[in-house]
Amino acid sequence: MTSTGELKAFARKASGLTRVVSAKDALTYNINSTGMAYALVYASFGAGIYLGLDLAGSILPVLLLNIPIALLYAYFSIAMPRTGGDYVWVSRSIHPVLGFMGSFMLSVVLISWAASCPAWTLQWGIAPILRGLSVVYNDPGLITLADQISSPIAVQVYGLISFIAVAFVIARGIKFVIKTQWVMFVIILVGLTAFIVTVVQAGPATFQQRFDSMSGTTMKQVISSAVSEGFWSEVTVSGIFLGMVYSFLNTVGFNFSVYYAGEVKDVRRTQFISIVGAIALFCFIMWAIYSTIYYGFGREFWHALSYIFNTGSASYTLPYPAFPQFLIIYFTTNPVVITLVGLSFALSAVVVQIVNPFIVTRSIFAWSFDRVVPTKLAELDRRYNSPYIALILVIILLMICQALWLYTNWLGYLSYGITGLFISVAIAGLAGVIFPYRRKAIFEASPAIVKGKIGSVPVISILGALTFIIAVFVIYATLMPAYIGTINPVYLAVLFLTYIAAIVIYAASAAYHKKRIPLELTFKEIPPE
Amino acid sequence: MANLRIFFTTDIHGSERCFLKFVNAGRFYKANVLILGGDMTGKLIIPIVERNGTYLCELMNSQMTAGSKQELRNLEKRIRDSGYYPYLTTRGELDELRAAPEKQDRLFSQLMCESVKNWTTIAEERIRGTGIQCLISPGNDDRFDIDHIIPRSGYVRNPDGEILQLDGDHEIISLGYSNMTPWKCPRDISEDELAAKIETLTARIRDSQTCIFNMHCPPYNSGLDMAPQLDQRLTPVLAPGGAPVMIPVGSPSVRAAIDKYQPLLGLHGHIHESRATTKLGRTLCVNPGSEYSEGVLRGALVDINGNKIDDFLLTAG
């Protein structure tokens, strides 16, 4: 039999397409996009809101449920390695208006989340460092400083400066964005490692002794207060399943490399490593953090403390939130460790503050290319090849959203944003189901891995169906009363209004172009026959 | 003044599926003029060898087999759709070709010419009687062998190096050459030579206000020409963070001509990953990029009304 090597193709000297973002870069970017150290905060939210949840135990189901989504996004990105991600796949496989709706919702949510990042950086990242150091150096002035930098006006001033800095980073183009990601990835990882090592080394006995003597309350008191207010610590199946929503929330971002897939080198290898690798590694990081918290604080105490903190109970007497970066002081007085742990959280917020607007500018750029929004928004800066008008728009929106976040409760109306994101994931799932049938040519031209079948059913269709089912579960869980306290019809209406806004924008644009070149021609396939 | 709808695509690199879509694009998009802006020939020959009644080849790192003549035809079609040239051969000839690069080279020319001839015939059959004009010009990657295959007149024609009148008002000048690339392609020339060729054409323009520049190479530093910087081994130069260094690689001569003459429209390709549109003064410049290997025809639809661009859309059809 003729060997594969003997049948090798003849190549001639010709110019070549060169894709360039490496697997390592994309992996780092995707892990960073999750906001790695946010797990510290979600450990409190999850434990406090979902009674019966086992944080560490929820990670394996989260990983397993994310695998079909990760594979679907990787498969799609390999089949259609284009910048724009699910906007492109959904537009091509189902309809452009659905692609735009999903992308618009993602952008709105990412902007609203990025708007809160300056506050998270200062209040939950830098303030715990100052509070910890005030204990180490016995300097009450540092507590005053922590309070001052946590004030709305300080957060706003820092926010305005940092948003301009973010614009500078994004305007320098993807290579500069990825460079900053690498630096922050290393610091965050060092900070989280310092947290884990310190807590494990000091152990629960040290924590109990120091907490009971320094905090003004005791572990027993915290637990008994919580129990008297309805808390229980037994693990329940429903607690695990509903509590997983928060872990899901924390994993949003692990597949963001699909949004710049047009710049990814060796897309088959890179997207698998970066997407599947990111969710696996990040789940491991979350598991390590949650397990460390359970070991150091004790599961019952951690859940009880989180419960009275998150329910706003009067029995919560600590002068700061029930987050590990504040409580690290009960494990160590090492100023370097205290600083590194706080810094890991602060930088996670900074990373999200860069990643989210970056993805939004890419999305706006893609819409503008398809003329759903004015083409002016796709104008590139000559020096750095960055869509500067889209970027200016995003930065202005961030500044407005930050003010809304600080001084009004308007962004609360987007509490169902995560629901919206998973509606978009569900739509991407549907696109996966029908892709091999509606876009047969692209499917057939895809690399062999994408064209795999189980029996006669394409694997990508199976992944699409699984993704759809999982997304529907998450949508259901985020709509459960426990998620934001109660089902708020106004919040729900805002979610649907966001989609309506997307439809209105698309319809207005389609009407404008109808007498010229219709929008729907963008992704319509020309029959070759 | 007359209205024109132009469909422009480029860099399909041998993909028969993309070419067939291109010739159907006129009716599909209701365009009066179809333009294929160069780099139409493929880069790989896929040898197919018969062994005991089974045909074997290697495609995209997978071994493919065909057990019958019909399956062989399907396999050949699939290879052509992907932009490659299927070549049914024997083990003996395969060994000869491996040993003699000049024979490989001749085979490439032969297969390219056969393919372009076949495409031209298909285009003529499908476009005849529709009133659509179809311009197929070579690009820097295309060998000179193919030039004589596409007719210089008729409704399917090669406009390279000429000024054509599209209608009563609009002229188009076409040039497939590009500035030097690291691959030293057949139509890579120095900037000075490129500037001279452009000047020869532009000197004969009647009215630049309504003129269209169909130049394969994009204008320098226009956003249509961003590509990774390559080192001597043709691998991307990486910045300290591991990210690629992107640089403009377009032609300063093309840029100077556009800046000087300010035509109505600039149609460009060459840099697949630099799908973009931009305005250089009053000139709308377009590079639709390329996605040929996936069988997707990337293009640009442009509506022209007199000396104005009414509307445009980048397509992925």
Side-chain angles (χ1 to χ4, degrees), chain B residues 172-244:
Chain B
I172 184 167
I173 61 172
S174 302
L175 198 60
Y177 289 90
S178 103
N179 50 357
M180 291 307 293
T181 70
W183 294 275
K184 298 180 177 55
C185 297
R187 290 173 214 251
D188 287 356
I189 54 177
S190 70
E191 275 300 337
D192 287 345
E193 289 173 289
L194 190 56
K197 284 186 184 296
I198 294 170
E199 195 49 44
T200 307
L201 283 170
T202 49
R204 293 156 50 205
I205 296 170
R206 274 191 320 183
D207 181 4
S208 65
Q209 291 273 309
T210 55
C211 186
I212 297 163
F213 282 13
N214 170 31
M215 293 181 179
H216 184 65
C217 189
Y220 177 75
N221 201 20
S222 58
L224 276 60
D225 64 331
M226 298 305 290
Q229 187 179 0
L230 302 178
D231 63 16
Q232 298 286 338
R233 291 169 299 143
L234 303 184
T235 54
V237 174
L238 301 179

Side-chain angles (χ1 to χ4, degrees), chain B residues 99-120:
Chain B
E102 70 283 355
K103 284 189 179 172
Q104 285 180 35
D105 201 57
R106 278 201 298 275
L107 181 62
F108 258 115
S109 287
Q110 178 199 323
L111 295 176
M112 283 171 187
C113 289
E114 283 172 10
S115 167
V116 172
K117 190 171 184 186
N118 183 38
W119 285 7
T120 306

Side-chain angles (χ1 to χ4, degrees), chain A residues 1-2 4 6-18 20 25 79 81-82 92 175 179 182 369-371 375 380 382 385 441-442 444-445 448 451 513 516-518 521-529, chain B residues 5 17 20-21 24 28-29 41-45 51 58 63 78 91 94 97-98 104 108 112 126 141 183 221-222 226 228 241-244 272-273 275-276 278 291 294 298 301 303 311-317:
Chain A
M1 182 155 173
T2 310
T4 302
E6 286 169 319
L7 288 172
K8 213 163 176 265
F10 296 115
R12 72 184 172 99
K13 200 165 69 176
S15 57
L17 178 70
T18 323
V20 281
D25 290 338
R82 301 294 149 198
R92 283 187 186 178
K175 68 178 178 181
K179 197 173 172 182
W182 265 106
F369 241 87
D370 298 344
R371 298 175 319 151
T375 48
L380 291 172
R382 291 279 169 270
N385 207 30
I442 300 178
E444 290 297 336
K451 292 190 296 182
H513 290 287
R516 298 171 176 87
I517 302 175
L521 291 181
T522 307
F523 291 119
K524 228 172 193 175
E525 188 175 8
I526 308 167
E529 293 77 24
Chain B
R5 174 171 289 182
R17 185 174 181 82
L20 295 175
K21 287 180 173 184
N24 286 354
F28 190 79
Y29 292 130
T41 50
K43 300 177 184 183
L44 286 180
I45 296 172
R51 177 65 54 101
E58 189 184 301
Q63 190 159 336
R78 197 172 152 200
R91 173 71 189 274
L94 202 57
L97 285 166
R98 291 242 180 270
Q104 285 180 35
F108 258 115
M112 283 171 187
R126 293 198 185 180
D141 247 355
W183 294 275
N221 201 20
S222 58
M226 298 305 290
H272 302 183
E273 55 272 61
R275 177 174 164 92
T278 193
E291 211 176 335
E294 286 123 74
R298 288 198 162 196
L301 269 175
D303 274 4
D311 204 4
F312 67 93
L313 176 71
L314 293 184
T315 60

Side-chain angles (χ1 to χ4, degrees), chain A residues 263-284:
Chain A
E263 291 154 78
V264 163
K265 184 166 76 173
D266 190 1
V267 70
R268 198 176 343 182
R269 180 173 165 268
T270 297
Q271 293 297 48
F272 262 106
I273 291 174
S274 64
I275 296 174
V276 181
I279 188 62
L281 281 174
F282 181 59
C283 279
F284 174 74

Side-chain angles (χ1 to χ4, degrees), chain A residues 23-359:
Chain A
K24 260 189 314 183
D25 290 338
L27 178 65
T28 309
Y29 188 94
N30 284 349
I31 297 179
N32 268 353
S33 301
T34 58
M36 264 193 292
Y38 279 12
L40 297 171
V41 164
Y42 290 120
S44 173
F45 289 159
I49 295 172
Y50 293 100
L51 292 178
L53 164 70
D54 183 284
L55 283 168
S58 72
I59 297 303
L60 185 60
V62 164
L63 174 62
L64 292 176
L65 291 179
N66 263 311
I67 290 292
I69 300 174
L71 287 174
L72 177 74
Y73 276 65
Y75 271 47
F76 254 140
S77 197
I78 292 166
M80 291 184 240
R82 301 294 149 198
T83 295
D86 47 0
Y87 169 64
V88 175
W89 321 324
V90 173
S91 294
R92 283 187 186 178
S93 302
I94 308 179
H95 192 278
V97 74
L98 271 179
F100 179 64
M101 284 164 65
S103 182
F104 186 76
M105 174 60 80
L106 175 74
S107 300
V108 168
V109 172
L110 291 185
I111 285 183
S112 71
W113 285 355
S116 63
C117 287
W120 284 34
T121 302
L122 292 182
Q123 294 171 349
W124 297 346
I126 303 300
I129 297 175
L130 294 172
R131 283 185 166 277
L133 295 180
S134 79
V135 175
V136 175
Y137 299 115
N138 196 21
D139 181 357
L142 291 173
I143 294 182
T144 310
L145 185 58
D147 291 338
Q148 283 170 342
I149 63 158
S150 300
S151 67
I153 190 70
V155 168
Q156 190 172 21
V157 169
Y158 165 72
L160 294 176
I161 295 167
S162 63
F163 287 135
I164 291 167
V166 165
F168 170 77
V169 170
I170 296 175
R172 294 286 302 271
I174 191 165
K175 68 178 178 181
F176 196 73
V177 169
I178 285 180
K179 197 173 172 182
T180 56
Q181 295 292 312
W182 265 106
V183 172
M184 289 194 255
F185 176 77
V186 171
I187 299 173
I188 294 166
L189 216 51
V190 169
L192 291 176
T193 306
F195 170 75
I196 292 167
V197 170
T198 302
V199 171
V200 170
Q201 266 183 354
T206 304
F207 176 75
Q208 178 156 16
Q209 185 266 319
R210 290 174 63 91
F211 184 82
D212 288 356
S213 61
M214 290 168 60
S215 69
T217 182
T218 64
M219 288 177 73
K220 272 188 181 163
Q221 238 175 326
V222 167
I223 293 169
S224 69
S225 297
V227 169
S228 69
E229 292 173 24
F231 167 77
W232 79 86
S233 64
E234 289 77 26
V235 177
T236 62
V237 174
S238 63
I240 286 182
F241 271 91
L242 293 177
M244 280 188 324
V245 174
Y246 268 112
S247 300
F248 254 101
L249 171 62
N250 214 5
T251 64
V252 167
F254 74 86
N255 51 9
F256 275 6
S257 59
V258 301
Y259 295 103
Y260 55 84
E263 291 154 78
V264 163
K265 184 166 76 173
D266 190 1
V267 70
R268 198 176 343 182
R269 180 173 165 268
T270 297
Q271 293 297 48
F272 262 106
I273 291 174
S274 64
I275 296 174
V276 181
I279 188 62
L281 281 174
F282 181 59
C283 279
F284 174 74
I285 291 168
M286 275 202 297
W287 174 83
I289 290 171
Y290 292 165
S291 298
T292 302
I293 288 171
Y294 277 0
Y295 172 72
F297 297 90
R299 181 179 174 277
E300 188 182 23
F301 169 76
W302 179 253
H303 280 245
L305 184 74
S306 300
Y307 181 77
I308 57 174
F309 167 66
N310 283 291
T311 53
S313 164
S315 57
Y316 185 83
T317 55
L318 298 177
Y320 42 74
F323 299 149
Q325 62 269 39
F326 286 95
L327 300 165
I328 189 72
I329 192 67
Y330 301 118
F331 288 98
T332 183
T333 51
N334 183 327
V336 176
V337 172
I338 291 166
T339 304
L340 279 173
V341 174
L343 207 55
S344 72
F345 188 88
L347 287 184
S348 287
V350 171
V351 161
V352 173
Q353 201 182 335
I354 295 170
V355 165
N356 286 10
F358 179 74
I359 297 296

